[in-house]
Amino acid sequence: MNKKVSAVYPGSFDPPTNGHLDIITRASRLFPEIIVAVTENSVKNHMFSLEKRVELLKKSVSDIKNVKVISFSGLLADYLEKIDSFILIRGLRALSDFEYEFQMALMNRKLNKNIETVFLMPDQDYTFLSSSMVKEIAALGGKIEELVPECVADEFNK
Ligand code: COA
């Protein structure tokens, strides 16, 4: 067992939503330290810069003591090795997430056999939520206040 027991919650978080926060909160009760690791997803065109996403996440989790937010580039498996952490947190919202998550968990384990992925289920209120949906609703003038942390809603209102 590694000493620090930090668990890493990776994602692009473009933008962070209440669903992400729900997973972070649940994970923070299970592990001594949660590292929210923000990165670029090479198949997505991001709306917010990496720096902005880190800033928004830091504001969103400021009241949870054992959570820190960082950014990384390159392979997640390499980042975990670098920080000597082998626990990945992922959210499973619906059955439709399963195939992709299963593939990613096994690939990460192939890249580094020590990596274990722990899946958490968000509150059912967030099972339909995604970052793209938030961006689309905001772009079309819909209300996003109940879907994202206050600082994220403020960012859209700017
Ligand atoms: N609540 C709300 N939304 C959620 C959610 C939750 N609990 N969990 C996931 N989502 C949303 C995300 O916002 C995202 O929405 P979007 O597609 O509209 O942007 C969508 O569900 C998919 O999320 P996720 O699978 O976490 O994608 P991601 O882009 O956020 O993260 C990485 C994928 C970054 C973890 C992955 O690409 C990665 O590890 N990259 C590093 C390179 C690497 O190692 N690649 C090999 C991996 S095996």
Side-chain angles (χ1 to χ4, degrees), residues 69-128:
V69 183
I70 57 91
S71 64
F72 75 98
S73 57
L75 280 179
L76 180 58
D78 290 345
Y79 173 69
L80 290 175
E81 179 84 47
K82 191 173 131 197
I83 64 163
D84 195 26
S85 169
F86 298 97
I87 304 167
L88 271 181
I89 303 288
R90 297 289 291 168
L92 267 188
R93 290 165 298 171
L95 201 57
S96 50
D97 280 343
F98 181 77
E99 206 171 321
Y100 169 65
E101 292 298 337
F102 184 70
Q103 192 183 9
M104 202 152 72
L106 291 182
M107 182 54 80
N108 278 319
R109 192 192 279 165
K110 179 88 186 154
L111 293 169
N112 183 329
K113 66 177 172 32
N114 294 319
I115 296 176
E116 292 295 347
T117 306
V118 176
F119 294 102
L120 299 178
M121 273 178 286
D123 189 287
Q124 60 185 8
D125 285 356
Y126 304 126
T127 50
F128 56 88

Side-chain angles (χ1 to χ4, degrees), residues 9-15 17-20 23 39-41 44 46 72 74-77 90-91 93 100-101 103-104 107-108 111 122 126 129-133 135:
Y9 180 42
S12 50
F13 305 104
D14 186 41
T17 68
N18 288 343
H20 294 128
I23 295 290
T39 193
E40 309 288 5
N41 186 328
K44 292 180 182 173
H46 295 302
F72 75 98
L75 280 179
L76 180 58
R90 297 289 291 168
R93 290 165 298 171
Y100 169 65
E101 292 298 337
Q103 192 183 9
M104 202 152 72
M107 182 54 80
N108 278 319
L111 293 169
Y126 304 126
L129 191 53
S130 75
S131 298
S132 307
M133 224 176 248
K135 284 180 277 195

